[in-house]
């Protein structure tokens, strides 16, 4: 019962703030609404028994990624920029496509997967399970991720450098 | 207990909002934030799958998605910054140099 209440509240917060992010004209406000969505998803992780990912989500997404976004918004000084309004036809087409995608996703999940009838495997995942899986079965992808981050760091410096 | 399918459907709704953001908005920064929202929606369903199957693999995948998202944000924001210096705008309609 408690899980249902939490689920409904978190869904309302996540979906509501995601919609506010998409519909807000001010990039700073959009970024702050997105932070709220990320926090709701982080609490979803906690409800789903992924305590480590709850912490990682808050530290990486809301702590690092969104701060980077806000820095760039302030560097660009977009206040003077007026975002041109998408034309009526394009807006209608975009909304129709989004609803069509949602319909396809929901129908596919409900009709073509076995989730509605499948019994849940009992027993949660502990941090030990996660660590063993990460450093045993998934060790090579883990090392590749560190190379990816290094390349991204070098790439970001090379791209954002001021040409003299 | 809330069934896994409920989490997967919330994830689908968040993903759709992200797609709508990419289609509706012309500000490159907001398009980029919508992409982050889509990555997060996928993370939510992966967490649901991890609980459903009692396997840590789903959570390992979320960690990799987090790493890829961090790399993507660093490079993407650097590109947006470079384009802004060059063209003085972040409107995606004006970024048409590579358009056929």
């Amino acid at each position: 019962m408690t899980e249902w209440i939490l689920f409904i509240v978190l869904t309302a917060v996540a979906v509501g703030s995601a919609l506010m992010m998409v519909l807000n004209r001010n990039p700073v406000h959009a970024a702050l609404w997105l932070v709220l969505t990320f926090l709701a998803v982080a609490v979803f992780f906690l409800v789903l028994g992924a305590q480590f990912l709850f912490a990682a989500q808050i530290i990486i997404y809301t702590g690092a990624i969104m701060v980077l976004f806000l820095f760039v918004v302030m560097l660009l000084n977009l206040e003077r920029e007026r975002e041109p309004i998408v034309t009526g036809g394009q807006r209608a087409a975009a909304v129709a496509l989004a609803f069509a995608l949602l319909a396809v996703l929901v129908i596919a999940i409900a009709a073509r997967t076995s989730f509605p009838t499948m019994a849940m495997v009992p027993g949660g995942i502990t941090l030990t399970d996660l660590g063993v899986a990460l450093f045993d079965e998934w060790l090579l992808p883990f090392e590749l991720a560190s190379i990816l981050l290094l390349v991204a760091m070098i790439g970001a410096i090379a791209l954002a450098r001021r040409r003299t | 207990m809330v069934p896994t399918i409920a989490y997967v459907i919330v994830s689908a709704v968040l993903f759709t909002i992200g797609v709508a953001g990419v289609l509706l908005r012309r500000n490159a920064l907001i398009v980029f934030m919508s992409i982050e929202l889509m990555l997060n929606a996928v993370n939510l369903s992966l967490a649901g799958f991890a609980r459903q199957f009692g396997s840590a693999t789903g959570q390992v995948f979320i960690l990799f998605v987090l790493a890829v998202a961090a790399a993507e944000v660093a490079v993407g924001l650097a590109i947006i910054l470079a384009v802004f210096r060059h063209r003085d705008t972040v409107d995606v309609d004006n970024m048409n140099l590579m358009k056929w």
Side-chain angles (χ1 to χ4, degrees):
Chain A
M1 193 61 212
T2 353
E3 202 193 335
W4 271 109
I5 297 170
L6 264 174
F7 176 80
I8 291 165
V9 172
L10 287 175
T11 304
V13 172
V15 173
S17 53
L19 279 174
M20 286 302 289
M21 186 274 285
V22 168
L23 300 176
N24 210 306
R25 303 190 71 81
N26 185 332
V28 176
H29 293 176
L32 294 175
W33 281 113
L34 192 57
V35 167
L36 194 57
T37 314
F38 286 164
L39 288 176
V41 173
V43 183
F44 263 128
F45 287 164
L46 200 56
V47 173
L48 286 165
Q51 295 91 347
F52 176 71
L53 293 170
F54 162 75
Q57 166 93 357
I58 290 181
I59 294 169
I60 297 174
Y61 261 110
T62 61
I65 292 183
M66 291 321 290
V67 169
L68 199 58
F69 261 106
L70 286 171
F71 260 113
V72 171
V73 171
M74 285 165 193
L75 271 178
L76 297 186
N77 186 20
L78 295 171
E79 294 304 326
R80 61 198 162 85
E81 186 150 356
R82 280 271 168 274
E83 187 179 4
I85 298 154
V86 225
T87 50
Q90 199 180 343
R91 176 179 297 188
V95 172
L97 274 175
F99 273 108
L101 175 70
L102 182 62
V104 168
L105 283 175
V106 170
I107 290 168
I109 292 162
R112 303 294 300 169
T113 67
S114 44
F115 287 115
T117 52
M118 195 185 282
M120 202 172 296
V121 178
I125 301 150
T126 61
L127 190 51
T128 315
D129 296 335
L130 178 60
V132 167
L134 186 60
F135 291 111
D136 185 21
E137 195 179 352
W138 302 99
L139 184 62
L140 181 66
F142 177 78
E143 298 291 350
L144 287 176
S146 63
I147 296 174
L148 173 73
L149 287 170
L150 176 69
V151 171
M153 198 163 69
I154 297 169
I157 294 169
L159 281 168
R161 188 188 50 187
R162 220 175 264 281
R163 303 277 189 281
T164 45
Chain B
M1 206 170 193
V2 181
T4 305
I5 189 163
Y7 289 100
V8 180
I9 286 179
V10 173
S11 155
V13 171
L14 285 177
F15 189 89
T16 309
I17 295 173
V19 171
V22 171
L23 292 176
L24 279 171
R25 302 302 299 263
R26 300 268 71 84
N27 184 330
L29 275 167
I30 304 213
V31 169
F32 215 58
M33 287 182 208
S34 302
I35 293 172
E36 294 303 314
L37 180 62
M38 285 192 262
L39 286 170
N40 242 271
V42 173
N43 278 354
L44 179 55
S45 57
L46 285 174
F49 297 155
R51 189 186 65 160
Q52 169 80 52
F53 298 107
S55 150
T57 305
Q59 298 194 1
V60 172
F61 264 70
I62 297 179
L63 275 178
F64 289 140
V65 172
L66 281 176
V68 171
E72 177 226 346
V73 163
V75 174
L77 286 178
I79 291 174
I80 290 178
L81 214 59
V83 168
F84 183 77
R85 284 214 192 103
H86 219 68
R87 303 213 149 189
D88 213 33
T89 177
V90 288
D91 185 345
V92 287
D93 282 342
N94 290 331
M95 299 180 191
N96 53 7
L97 197 64
M98 293 177 83
K99 202 168 168 184
W100 185 60

